[in-house]
Amino acid sequence: MGMEDYTFPQGPEELHHRHHHTVEAPQPQPFLKSLQYSVKETLFPDDPFRQFKNQNASRKVVLGLKYFLPIVEWAPRYNLKFFKSDLIAGITIASLAIPQGISYAKLANLPPILGLYSSFVPPLVYAVLGSSRDLAVGTVAVASLLTGAMLSKEVDAEKDPKLYLHLAFTATFFAGVFEASLGFFRLGFIVDFLSHATIVGFMGGAATVVSLQQLKGIFGLKHFTDATDAISVMRSVFSQTHQWRWESGVLGCGFLFFLLSTRYFSTKKPKFFWVAAMAPLTSVILGSLLVYFTHAERHGVQVIGDLKKGLNPLSGSDLIFTSPYMSTAVKTGLITGIIALAEGIAVGRSFAMFKNYNIDGNKEMIAFGMMNIVGSFTSCYLTTGPFSRSAVNYNAGCKTAMSNIVMAIAVMITLLFLTPLFHYTPLVVLSAIIISAMLGLIDYQAAIHLWKVDKFDFLVCMSAYVGVVFGSVEIGLIVAVAISIARLLLFVSRPRTAMKGNIPNSMIYRNTDQYPSSRTVPGILILEIDAPIYFANASYLRERIIRWIDEEEERVKQSGESSLQYIILDMSAVGNIDTSGISMMEEIKKVIDRRALKLVLANPKGEVVKKLTRSKFIGDHLGKEWMFLTVGEAVEACSYMLHTFKTEPASKNEPWNNV
């Protein structure tokens, strides 16, 4: 339609109704209904109740059981073909779980047998409650190190081993309660504050620290620092050079070379995944035989010693709920629980993505929480889904959580009959197993990728790494989370604003920085706000919008173009607004009016229109005729006014301009 086809309207309102779509406010909802909707969207984004609609009572019971106990869903469909795959996977992960369990228990300053106990009961609980098919349950190095570091500050594991052990069970209990509560109250988004960059840096730092601590075992040192930072560890190693045992060092380096070369071989030829999976157990057997036949324990090679036979003793009565130790247990439980959750859920999600199925984060939290609560009553310490064990489980071709049950049965047989065989296992082999597992957690390629894509994420990653390596595990975690939250606040409090221009021969308006070919419309400034308007960013946006107007007026004055008349705010990305945001809009309207300009809104969202209407901003300050569905329509209307009347906008005649 050409300009000559327009009839001359009396003003923008008539123009608006004749040629443009009006912006509608959504229907007002009763408070309880809108509250119910908000709660549902916040806590139940996956809508777990959907499957129960229009079902009879008995079907609802079955669906409820399937929802809360995933085993009820897959067990009826289980067959012999699945079992063959799960049996192979279960035996393979058991061969990794036994040496790793013993090693990680030593890392937490706990009796080695606890590593085996923790690979028996928790996997059984997870098999019933867990929704991942690939997750293999067990203890993890980072949580073990954290448990050891935090509890050692309060209690010396050597001087008072019983109290230390009871504190470890109590910390596991609180970690379980915390994890299960997060899942039950559907607060899983708390774990999402640990961004990918944070986890890469934190895990890398923790892996570096854990590896350095193993130098105690490699060099056969008896006395060693309790500190976890790199400087203390290196000082401890090099101040005791006269205590180094060459026998231990040679054994350690030999086994480390063996473990790393098998892992390299398995990554190059994925069909031989079992070579790397069996390597730790092979190392334990070879190391034990070597010590047994050469009597190396008499020559400075430390061995595990006696491991108790028998299944997990009950430990419910050992939990400590009295001060001053309870606060330490709670703190340790919360921090290790969050780390365990973040790792377990991240691992579960990655493998679920490979196999194209979904896992429910909240159900996983309940499963982790329950297995740690049950574990704390049965002499286990903190467990989750470690990456190394789950990767082996996935590569071994597991089909369901039955592989965890097979692993638990293999560990049970070991506990009942085979523990005496570990008497001669050298500690140096356990150190080599830990170092080899940890080197896989230092994901330098992910750090390089972060550097290429997002420098700020790289900074978060490196600060977490440096914090863990040169401070402590807790400091690294706090620094990383603090920087991540600071970045989030920066995004909210400093949203992007941009000037838009028209892409030639179209009705499309885009950011002029992104599309340099786009042209500004004479007499009109189009601004885009890229975030909801809240108290945190309202004053920033006010200053920024006024600056845009100042700069545009200066540019117009210098270039001699037609003077600025209309300010169009593109509200497409403004999903919500609060009372501070509304006040900011009122202030901007006043500033624009004083300058004899006119404010126009394009595509305001339903929630924003609703609040602006309730606050009387639309009506008292801005007429409905100055709101448009698209930037294109707004520009068309403003251009029409400019071309038709060739006069200053109506606002010039408004009373406050003469004040």
Side-chain angles (χ1 to χ4, degrees):
M1 189 187 287
M3 285 290 179
E4 63 276 3
D5 296 331
Y6 279 102
T7 53
F8 279 68
Q10 294 307 304
E13 187 160 8
E14 191 182 329
L15 170 84
H16 195 289
H17 289 309
R18 282 193 182 190
H19 301 288
H20 296 286
H21 305 95
T22 53
V23 173
E24 300 288 345
Q27 290 296 315
Q29 296 280 354
F31 173 70
L32 283 175
K33 196 171 180 185
S34 62
L35 180 69
Q36 185 187 352
Y37 177 78
S38 300
V39 169
K40 185 182 168 186
E41 288 304 301
T42 307
L43 300 180
F44 303 98
D46 53 340
D47 193 7
F49 307 115
R50 189 176 63 242
Q51 57 184 338
F52 298 103
K53 280 178 189 163
N54 308 321
Q55 302 285 357
N56 59 36
S58 60
R59 182 79 186 127
K60 277 182 182 170
V61 170
V62 172
L63 285 171
L65 275 174
K66 282 184 177 178
Y67 182 77
F68 290 108
L69 302 171
I71 194 169
V72 176
E73 193 173 344
W74 59 260
R77 292 181 280 115
Y78 201 70
N79 57 37
L80 197 61
K81 191 178 165 200
F82 281 0
F83 182 65
K84 274 187 203 164
S85 304
D86 285 339
L87 183 67
I88 294 165
I91 291 168
T92 313
I93 50 176
S95 71
L96 182 64
I98 293 163
Q100 263 193 0
I102 293 170
S103 312
Y104 293 166
K106 291 290 288 176
L107 198 58
N109 302 326
L110 292 165
I113 193 74
L114 250 73
L116 295 182
Y117 289 162
S118 302
S119 294
F120 171 49
V121 173
L124 294 174
V125 177
Y126 185 81
V128 174
L129 296 171
S131 57
S132 169
R133 301 171 203 163
D134 302 280
L135 209 70
V137 168
T139 53
V140 277
V142 178
S144 303
L145 175 78
L146 258 174
T147 303
M150 292 180 77
L151 294 183
S152 296
K153 285 180 188 169
E154 278 303 308
V155 179
D156 191 317
E158 286 178 10
K159 288 180 187 163
D160 200 344
K162 201 172 178 184
L163 175 62
Y164 185 89
L165 183 65
H166 293 177
L167 266 184
F169 295 149
T170 314
T172 305
F173 172 76
F174 283 117
V177 168
F178 175 62
E179 290 172 340
S181 308
L182 284 186
F184 188 74
F185 294 112
R186 302 185 72 83
L187 300 173
F189 57 83
I190 290 175
V191 176
D192 295 338
F193 278 109
L194 292 172
S195 65
H196 172 65
T198 306
I199 289 173
V200 168
F202 178 78
M203 287 298 182
T208 306
V209 165
V210 170
S211 301
L212 288 175
Q213 285 220 321
Q214 298 320 300
L215 294 174
K216 174 189 179 184
I218 298 282
F219 293 121
L221 299 171
K222 283 194 168 68
H223 303 291
F224 206 69
T225 177
D226 282 334
T228 54
D229 63 289
I231 293 165
S232 303
V233 171
M234 297 314 284
R235 190 186 293 129
S236 194
V237 169
F238 287 104
S239 64
Q240 300 187 66
T241 43
H242 56 285
Q243 300 276 354
W244 290 9
R245 308 301 301 230
W246 67 267
E247 302 95 329
S248 191
V250 168
L251 256 183
C253 294
F255 279 116
L256 186 56
F257 177 75
F258 167 67
L259 289 163
L260 292 176
S261 50
T262 53
R263 199 169 78 213
Y264 180 77
F265 174 71
S266 289
T267 47
K268 290 291 172 200
K269 293 197 163 56
K271 270 192 282 186
F272 293 97
F273 69 88
W274 52 269
V275 174
M278 298 302 235
L281 192 60
T282 312
S283 303
V284 166
I285 294 165
L286 288 175
S288 304
L289 290 172
L290 198 65
V291 169
Y292 181 71
F293 288 117
T294 59
H295 296 291
E297 77 274 16
R298 295 175 196 163
H299 300 284
V301 174
Q302 298 170 24
V303 294
I304 286 180
D306 289 324
L307 288 181
K308 279 191 296 187
K309 256 189 185 183
L311 298 180
N312 305 24
L314 294 175
S315 57
S317 58
D318 296 337
L319 301 183
I320 298 170
F321 297 119
T322 54
S323 58
Y325 301 114
M326 186 175 153
S327 57
T328 308
V330 170
K331 195 171 84 171
T332 309
L334 292 186
I335 291 180
T336 52
I338 279 220
I339 294 298
L341 263 192
E343 183 172 354
I345 289 173
V347 169
R349 278 181 182 156
S350 354
F351 289 115
M353 200 170 61
F354 291 141
K355 283 193 182 172
N356 201 22
Y357 68 93
N358 285 323
I359 67 165
D360 182 334
N362 290 298
K363 266 201 272 190
E364 288 294 278
M365 288 180 199
I366 293 172
F368 290 151
M370 290 312 295
M371 76 189 189
N372 281 318
I373 291 169
V374 173
S376 69
F377 294 147
T378 51
S379 299
C380 304
Y381 78 106
L382 192 80
T383 49
T384 181
F387 181 78
S388 54
R389 217 176 286 188
S390 302
V392 168
N393 196 26
Y394 173 81
N395 288 327
C398 68
K399 295 285 185 243
T400 65
M402 178 60 85
S403 58
N404 274 305
I405 297 174
V406 173
M407 173 180 75
I409 291 167
V411 171
M412 178 185 83
I413 293 165
T414 308
L415 281 167
L416 287 174
F417 308 110
L418 307 178
T419 46
L421 300 178
F422 293 102
H423 184 289
Y424 288 101
T425 303
L427 296 185
V428 67
V429 171
L430 302 183
S431 295
I433 289 168
I434 291 175
I435 292 175
S436 129
M438 289 303 97
L439 291 177
L441 284 180
I442 302 174
D443 195 349
Y444 61 90
Q445 285 169 321
I448 293 167
H449 180 70
L450 288 173
W451 171 258
K452 285 179 185 166
V453 176
D454 188 331
K455 302 287 188 287
F456 197 100
D457 263 354
F458 178 78
L459 172 71
V460 170
C461 174
M462 290 318 293
S463 57
Y465 182 84
V466 170
V468 173
V469 173
F470 294 104
S472 69
V473 180
E474 302 104 286
I475 288 173
L477 187 65
I478 290 163
V479 165
V481 171
I483 292 180
S484 294
I485 291 175
R487 183 179 197 187
L488 182 73
L489 292 175
L490 202 64
F491 276 144
V492 173
S493 63
R494 293 292 180 267
R496 293 282 172 94
T497 53
M499 189 158 76
K500 285 185 147 186
N502 176 239
I503 292 181
N505 306 318
S506 76
M507 281 288 284
I508 298 168
Y509 292 81
R510 286 289 178 269
N511 185 335
T512 50
D513 288 337
Q514 190 180 356
Y515 295 91
S517 62
S518 61
R519 295 175 191 152
T520 54
V521 184
I524 301 170
L525 172 63
I526 309 162
L527 294 178
E528 171 186 38
I529 300 173
D530 230 358
I533 304 173
Y534 291 131
F535 64 92
N537 61 24
S539 59
Y540 168 78
L541 282 172
R542 183 186 64 236
E543 306 297 334
R544 194 66 191 90
I545 291 168
I546 292 168
R547 195 174 113 205
W548 276 115
I549 298 169
D550 290 342
E551 286 170 358
E552 182 65 9
E553 285 189 324
E554 272 174 38
R555 190 188 67 76
V556 165
K557 204 179 282 179
Q558 285 167 6
S559 64
E561 289 176 23
S562 55
S563 65
L564 188 60
Q565 306 280 7
Y566 294 97
I567 311 295
I568 299 176
L569 288 186
D570 180 4
M571 310 279 280
S572 311
V574 182
N576 212 327
I577 191 167
D578 69 356
T579 48
S580 305
I582 295 167
S583 302
M584 183 276 286
M585 293 291 286
E586 288 169 0
E587 285 171 35
I588 284 207
K589 176 76 173 73
K590 282 177 186 168
V591 168
I592 287 174
D593 287 342
R594 277 196 209 106
R595 296 187 183 201
L597 304 172
K598 197 73 194 167
L599 178 66
V600 181
L601 300 185
N603 194 16
K605 294 281 187 273
E607 196 65 25
V608 176
V609 174
K610 190 166 76 180
K611 288 186 182 173
L612 290 179
T613 308
R614 276 187 194 157
S615 67
K616 303 279 175 49
F617 175 80
I618 294 173
D620 290 2
H621 296 272
L622 188 84
K624 275 190 176 179
E625 68 275 14
W626 294 109
M627 292 199 301
F628 297 87
L629 274 190
T630 64
V631 175
E633 288 193 353
V635 172
E636 200 182 323
C638 296
S639 297
Y640 177 75
M641 294 294 291
L642 285 169
H643 287 111
T644 307
F645 299 114
K646 298 282 183 195
T647 59
E648 301 299 293
S651 58
K652 287 232 163 166
N653 306 318
E654 284 173 5
W656 56 71
N657 286 302
N658 303 318
V659 175

